[in-house]
């Protein structure tokens, strides 16, 4: 990353300002990340002994200091000593990227705050002092997005909260609409002001109406700095320590660089600064199952009777899901004895940053058998297998919400992707008919209803990269009983279908879907069935944004719970970081991927949307809990093998009534008293999450 920055500063031919100090009218590097090589190059190297693909960087540069400001994306390479840079913007997007689509820099958030403090608040001194006891530091703001009603707009509602711990549930009722589209900060202006259900043309009118007694004031009680009801401090004393999982003889997995091996599993992992965790080359028993498994986007669409709340349609990749993966707390976020790894990124700076211990990998016993059977008929025996899985986890704290991303590897050959949401709800000031849009959770706080949707890319390669999509389901039919023709039997029959076109493989969010959907290989198992992997989704989403909305195409991946398309290098992602600030002319519109191409015996990608409707309630204070807020999907073998592969797990247990089940030779569980009777040597607790306090705010504000 350092080498790429040095190269760009020396070779772009224009002055570059460090983005952490940049004005909208400056040129700056927004971020630098790894440019993924093409799949053909990778497979040629991994599978056929070809040349290793050259390593290249993707550099995104904001050009504000030129006659036609724009966003430009460069390919920089080869690494680690770059000698070339190529403008790939037109190749990727069909033309230049308009400057107004750029995500907000941290400096722009700060400049909005400064504009309010220095220019606008002084226009309403009596209102600010008497209603909020404003002292220059006791209010915090959060801008919402999208920012306007049409392409070119950069007009943000800025919602005010008490500046205390858990500020997100301490709204004070003031919201200000700011036009900050000009590259000249002195030309920024306020377009509208809202307070407690009333709209004003600006702060001057608000002050005048307030002095005349025409403003309905609902003053909020001052909260303590710890937030009071929003504080996460324990309400009761600590008691005895809870259960602890540990590995009696050390980890049974290995990590080398970004490669993980666990029993029959192996995979490579990475962290994208925008979209977060991504895994590659997932293999079970040496066979590739998944080429790429990656998070693409996380959206949240809100409701409210306040202007800020009712306009929220967040696309979190724009704020940096990967950069928001901060340090994990041992014993809470992950098992105390997990392996903790760092993630590094470069964004809004000339200097890369490292989030220490932001990834954890661990083996977990789920305390439920994968399979078991007790038999006392004819012969007496017991056979079973404990559910020991490998978990790859990271947690993104994107402003108020914390998303827990789990990728779980089972001994049955299944991959599980699980997302759990916690953190603070985003709230509005409670007034009038607020309960039409959520639940009242405190005196002045409306927990606003919202829908979460999460987009994943799953590039399955089942028995090779050429696959077809097949569905299996059931239907009841009435038939004559063969042994008694005068009687009818309702018999279920297996219904099979091969989906030959993309349009048939695009399943709408709330449509009825075949219960078995799987990628089929061009080979058969021992029993004559196509080898396959099934996609099984777990989701309880809210409704998708209506397609009549002018911004829906930017969210159009959310139309589908599952869409399977022909894989194309020019369709690498379902969304774009540029969609947030110009959803009316989306840089990437996923709906365009679905154009009825053939999907029989092709390299296919499954685009999966999972999510949930959240109607906040009293128990979401202070934080939303993960219990019940879990969605995701499974990738499960479906006739891929000739039998359950977990039968080959070394953790299997079997003994008969004629054997001594307390013998270590017969039953390995009987040895636990000998091999696992000592407590592990626990390392001292450390936490690195507060090392970069000046930049933790750099996601959505």
């Amino acid at each position: 990353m350092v080498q790429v920055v040095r190269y760009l500063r020396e070779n772009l031919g224009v002055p570059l300002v460090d983005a952490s100090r940049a004005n909208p009218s400056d040129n700056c590097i927004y971020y630098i990340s790894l440019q993924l090589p093409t799949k053909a190059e990778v497979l040629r190297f991994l599978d056929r002994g070809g040349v290793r693909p050259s390593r290249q960087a993707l550099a995104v540069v904001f050009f504000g200091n030129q006659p036609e400001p724009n966003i430009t994306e460069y390919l920089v390479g080869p690494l680690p000593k770059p000698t070339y840079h190529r403008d790939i913007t037109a190749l990727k997007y069909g033309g230049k990227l308009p400057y107004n689509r750029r995500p907000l820099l941290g400096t722009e958030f700060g400049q909005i705050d400064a504009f309010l403090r220095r220019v606008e608040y002084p226009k309403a001194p009596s209102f600010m002092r008497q209603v909020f006891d404003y002292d220059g530091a006791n209010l915090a703001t959060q801008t919402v997005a999208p920012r306007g009603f049409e392409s070119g707009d950069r007009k943000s509602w800025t919602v005010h909260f008490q500046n205390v711990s858990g500020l997100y549930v301490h709204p004070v009722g003031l919201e200000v609409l700011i036009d900050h589209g000009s590259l000249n900060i002195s030309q920024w202006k306020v377009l509208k002001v809202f307070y407690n259900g009333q709209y004003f043309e600006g702060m001057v009118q608000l002050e005048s109406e307030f002095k005349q007694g025409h403003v309905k004031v609902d003053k909020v009680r001052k909260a303590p700095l710890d937030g009071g009801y929003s504080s996460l401090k324990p309400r009761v004393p600590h008691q005895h320590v809870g259960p602890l999982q540990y590995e009696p003889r050390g980890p049974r997995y290995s990590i080398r660089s970004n490669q993980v091996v666990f029993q029959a599993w192996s995979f490579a992992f990475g962290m994208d600064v925008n979209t977060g965790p991504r895994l590659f080359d997932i293999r079970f028993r040496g066979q590739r199952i998944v080429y790429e498994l990656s998070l693409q986007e996380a959206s949240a669409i809100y409701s409210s009777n306040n202007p800020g709340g009712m306009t929220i349609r967040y696309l979190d990749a724009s704020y940096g899901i990967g950069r928001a993966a901060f340090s994990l707390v041992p014993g809470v976020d992950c098992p105390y004895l997990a392996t903790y790894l760092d993630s590094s990124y470069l964004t809004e700076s000339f200097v890369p940053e490292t989030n220490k211990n932001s990834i954890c990998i661990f083996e977990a016993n789920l305390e439920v058998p994968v399979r078991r059977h007790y038999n006392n008929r004819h012969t007496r025996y017991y056979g079973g297998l404990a559910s020991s899985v490998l978990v790859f986890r990271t947690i993104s704290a994107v402003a108020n919400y914390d998303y827990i991303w789990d990728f779980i590897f089972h001994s049955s050959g299944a991959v599980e992707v699980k997302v759990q949401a916690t953190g603070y709800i985003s709230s509005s000031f409670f007034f009038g008919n607020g309960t039409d849009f959520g639940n009242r959770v405190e005196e002045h706080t409306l927990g606003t209803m919202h829908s979460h949707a999460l987009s994943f890319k799953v590039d399955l390669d089942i028995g090779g990269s050429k696959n077809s999509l097949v569905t299996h389901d059931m239907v009841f039919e009435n038939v004559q009983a063969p042994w008694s023709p005068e009687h009818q039997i309702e018999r279920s029959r297996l219904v099979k279908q091969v989906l030959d076109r993309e349009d048939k493989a695009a399943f709408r969010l709330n449509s009825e879907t075949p219960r078995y959907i799987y990628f089929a290989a061009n080979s058969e198992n021992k029993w004559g069935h196509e080898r396959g992997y099934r996609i099984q989704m777990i989701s309880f989403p809210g409704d998708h944004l209506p397609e009549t909305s002018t911004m829906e195409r930017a969210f159009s991946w959310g139309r589908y719970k599952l869409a399977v398309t022909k894989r194309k290098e020019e369709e690498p992602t379902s969304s774009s970081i540029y969609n947030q600030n110009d959803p009316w002319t989306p840089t990437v519109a996923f709906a365009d991927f679905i154009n009825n191409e053939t999907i029989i015996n092709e390299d296919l990608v499954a685009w999966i949307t999972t999510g949930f409707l959240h109607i906040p309630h009293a128990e979401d204070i202070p934080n939303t809990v993960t219990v019940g807020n879990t969605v995701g999907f499974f990738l499960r073998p479906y006739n891929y093998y000739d039998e359950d592969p977990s039968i080959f797990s070394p953790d299997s247990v079997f003994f008969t009534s004629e054997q001594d089940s307390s013998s270590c030779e017969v039953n390995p569980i009987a040895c636990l008293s000998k091999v696992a009777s000592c407590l592990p040597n626990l390392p001292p607790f450390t936490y690195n999450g507060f090392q970069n306090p000046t930049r933790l705010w750099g996601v959505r504000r």
Side-chain angles (χ1 to χ4, degrees):
M1 295 177 184
V2 172
Q3 293 278 30
V4 173
V5 169
R6 181 180 298 123
Y7 173 85
L8 291 174
R9 296 182 72 181
E10 293 174 353
N11 291 276
L12 280 187
V14 296
L16 292 175
V17 176
D18 189 305
S20 63
R21 299 188 299 272
N23 288 314
S25 56
D26 290 326
N27 304 323
C28 65
I29 298 171
Y30 179 51
Y31 78 87
I32 292 171
S33 67
L34 176 69
Q35 172 68 26
L36 295 176
T38 66
K39 184 175 181 179
E41 290 178 285
V42 172
L43 295 185
R44 195 157 46 240
F45 168 67
L46 290 180
D47 297 349
R48 298 189 291 277
V51 177
R52 178 187 291 272
S54 63
R55 197 166 178 85
Q56 302 177 102
L58 174 68
V60 176
V61 181
F62 292 172
F63 287 107
N65 185 15
Q66 61 181 47
E68 293 185 26
N70 67 84
I71 307 163
T72 301
E73 296 194 356
Y74 292 104
L75 204 60
V76 183
L79 301 182
K81 296 181 179 180
T83 58
Y84 62 82
H85 63 283
R86 300 172 186 147
D87 183 344
I88 60 171
T89 315
L91 180 66
K92 286 180 67 174
Y93 305 112
K96 291 185 176 181
L97 285 171
Y99 197 54
N100 65 283
R101 295 185 190 178
R102 72 193 186 281
L104 269 68
L105 297 175
T107 52
E108 190 170 354
F109 285 116
Q111 288 155 354
I112 290 172
D113 279 348
F115 169 74
L116 288 168
R117 289 195 311 271
R118 298 170 186 170
V119 179
E120 294 301 320
Y121 296 161
K123 295 177 181 177
S126 298
F127 174 81
M128 296 297 292
R129 183 179 63 255
Q130 295 179 41
V131 177
F132 303 131
D133 299 317
Y134 181 62
D135 61 7
N138 63 337
L139 292 180
T141 62
Q142 179 171 328
T143 68
V144 303
R147 308 177 190 281
F149 288 105
E150 60 186 16
S151 291
D153 282 354
R154 205 170 180 87
K155 303 169 182 177
S156 300
W157 277 104
T158 304
V159 184
H160 289 68
F161 302 86
Q162 293 194 64
N163 189 17
V164 297
S165 179
L167 62 93
Y168 308 101
V169 291
H170 288 276
V172 297
L174 177 65
E175 303 184 7
V176 181
L177 179 60
I178 301 171
D179 184 346
H180 52 112
S182 173
L183 304 191
N184 184 345
I185 297 174
S186 66
Q187 295 181 10
W188 290 3
K189 57 187 177 182
V190 166
L191 302 176
K192 198 74 69 175
V193 173
F194 170 89
Y195 173 71
N196 191 24
Q198 305 150 88
Y199 287 90
F200 306 90
E201 294 306 308
M203 296 297 284
V204 171
Q205 186 192 10
L206 173 61
E207 175 79 353
S208 174
E209 296 287 327
F210 174 72
K211 285 183 174 180
Q212 296 176 58
H214 297 161
V215 176
K216 181 182 178 182
V217 173
D218 196 351
K219 190 170 182 179
V220 175
R221 186 184 302 111
K222 183 178 180 180
L225 286 178
D226 71 359
Y229 61 78
S230 64
S231 172
L232 298 181
K233 293 179 180 177
R235 307 295 199 264
V236 297
H238 288 289
Q239 298 179 350
H240 298 299
V241 68
L244 174 70
Q245 284 201 22
Y246 69 101
E247 297 130 336
R249 295 189 174 181
R252 300 196 298 178
Y253 56 88
S254 64
I255 305 170
R256 183 177 180 182
S257 185
N258 71 327
Q259 307 284 323
V260 180
V261 175
F262 170 67
Q263 295 183 346
W265 287 105
S266 66
F267 61 90
F269 66 87
M271 181 78 83
D272 183 85
V273 63
N274 299 312
T275 58
R278 55 190 186 183
L279 306 185
F280 294 95
D281 198 26
I282 301 174
R283 302 184 185 220
F284 187 68
R285 298 171 68 176
Q287 297 181 327
R288 181 180 300 114
I289 304 299
V290 180
Y291 177 76
E292 177 186 355
L293 171 54
S294 57
L295 177 65
Q296 298 286 297
E297 185 62 274
S299 72
I301 298 176
Y302 280 78
S303 177
S304 179
N305 58 348
N306 289 232
M310 74 174 71
T311 57
I312 292 175
R313 283 97 175 92
Y314 285 138
L315 290 167
D316 282 344
S318 173
Y319 301 95
I321 296 170
R323 70 187 287 195
F326 300 114
S327 293
L328 301 167
V329 175
V332 181
D333 294 332
C334 305
Y336 197 91
L337 291 171
T339 298
Y340 292 86
L341 304 170
D342 305 338
S343 59
S344 298
Y345 62 91
L346 190 147
T347 184
E348 300 190 39
S349 175
F350 285 151
V351 181
E353 289 204 14
T354 296
N355 287 343
K356 302 287 289 184
N357 299 343
S358 55
I359 296 168
C360 70
I361 297 175
F362 57 92
E363 185 179 355
N365 187 328
L366 301 183
E367 305 297 351
V368 63
V370 176
R371 51 174 174 78
R372 59 95 68 192
H373 181 65
Y374 167 78
N375 193 79
N376 64 359
R377 298 183 63 187
H378 308 300
T379 59
R380 291 184 291 170
Y381 62 85
Y382 171 87
L385 173 63
S387 185
S388 183
V389 299
L390 186 78
V391 181
F392 174 95
R393 172 178 295 169
T394 188
I395 302 177
S396 299
V398 187
N400 55 300
Y401 257 106
D402 296 56
Y403 293 101
I404 303 171
W405 315 106
D406 280 357
F407 299 83
I408 305 170
F409 299 87
H410 294 262
S411 59
S412 62
V415 179
E416 178 184 0
V417 176
K418 184 166 67 174
V419 184
Q420 299 175 87
T422 179
Y424 288 99
I425 59 171
S426 182
S427 68
S428 289
F429 189 76
F430 179 80
F431 80 94
N433 65 336
T435 52
D436 287 347
F437 310 99
N439 286 311
R440 188 177 189 175
V441 294
E442 280 293 339
E443 184 179 0
H444 295 99
T445 305
L446 174 68
T448 48
M449 177 173 62
H450 55 282
S451 294
H452 292 277
L454 310 156
S455 175
F456 287 88
K457 178 181 182 181
V458 187
D459 184 355
L460 284 154
D461 281 357
I462 307 304
S465 59
K466 301 295 185 182
N467 296 138
S468 300
L469 190 69
V470 182
T471 68
H472 284 181
D473 213 326
M474 61 164 284
V475 63
F476 274 107
E477 58 183 5
N478 289 322
V479 298
Q480 287 183 330
W483 64 93
S484 184
E486 67 274 17
H487 294 99
Q488 295 274 319
I489 289 180
E490 296 77 26
R491 179 177 63 182
S492 58
R493 179 169 55 85
L494 184 61
V495 179
K496 307 174 184 179
Q497 185 179 10
V498 177
L499 304 183
D500 60 346
R501 297 279 178 178
E502 287 179 340
D503 287 16
K504 295 180 182 178
F507 299 97
R508 292 279 179 159
L509 189 65
N510 293 313
S511 65
E512 188 172 337
T513 305
R515 279 159 278 204
Y516 278 61
I517 304 174
Y518 68 95
F519 274 42
N522 287 315
S523 56
E524 296 179 346
N525 71 358
K526 182 179 178 180
W527 314 114
H529 299 294
E530 293 173 313
R531 299 167 65 215
Y533 254 75
R534 175 190 174 197
I535 299 170
Q536 182 177 351
M537 294 165 287
I538 301 170
S539 183
F540 39 98
D543 290 344
H544 178 59
L545 196 66
E547 290 180 38
T548 53
S549 166
T550 57
M551 64 181 73
E552 187 275 339
R553 278 174 52 78
F555 298 76
S556 57
W557 50 268
R559 296 179 190 176
Y560 311 98
K561 65 181 79 173
L562 170 66
V564 176
T565 64
K566 185 176 178 179
R567 188 189 188 279
K568 298 177 181 178
E569 291 292 342
E570 60 270 26
E571 294 176 351
T573 59
S574 63
S575 186
S576 167
I577 62 170
Y578 310 120
N579 280 9
Q580 177 70 95
N581 290 334
D582 189 1
W584 308 281
T585 310
T587 303
V588 173
F590 175 77
D592 293 342
F593 292 11
I594 302 168
N595 53 9
N596 214 29
E597 290 188 80
T598 180
I599 54 173
I600 293 180
N601 197 28
E602 297 284 357
D603 192 358
L604 304 179
V605 174
W607 306 89
I608 298 174
T609 300
T610 187
F612 57 95
L613 172 66
H614 187 187
I615 305 175
H617 42 87
E619 295 80 8
D620 284 305
I621 300 296
N623 268 184
T624 294
V625 298
T626 57
V627 180
N629 289 318
T630 302
V631 295
F633 57 91
F634 287 86
L635 307 174
R636 299 176 56 188
Y638 186 64
N639 288 321
Y640 187 86
Y641 302 102
D642 299 332
E643 60 188 334
D644 172 21
S646 78
I647 198 68
F648 296 99
S649 170
D651 297 334
S652 296
V653 171
F654 177 83
F655 50 82
T656 72
S657 60
E658 298 174 355
Q659 294 175 298
D660 180 6
S661 61
S662 63
S663 167
C664 291
E665 289 72 22
V666 173
N667 175 17
I669 302 298
C671 296
L672 288 179
S673 61
K674 297 179 181 179
V675 301
S677 59
C678 295
L679 287 174
N681 182 19
L682 298 178
F685 179 88
T686 58
Y687 182 62
N688 302 284
F690 305 132
Q691 287 188 337
N692 302 313
T694 60
R695 298 199 60 200
L696 294 185
W697 64 273
V699 290
R700 189 168 70 228
R701 278 188 65 184

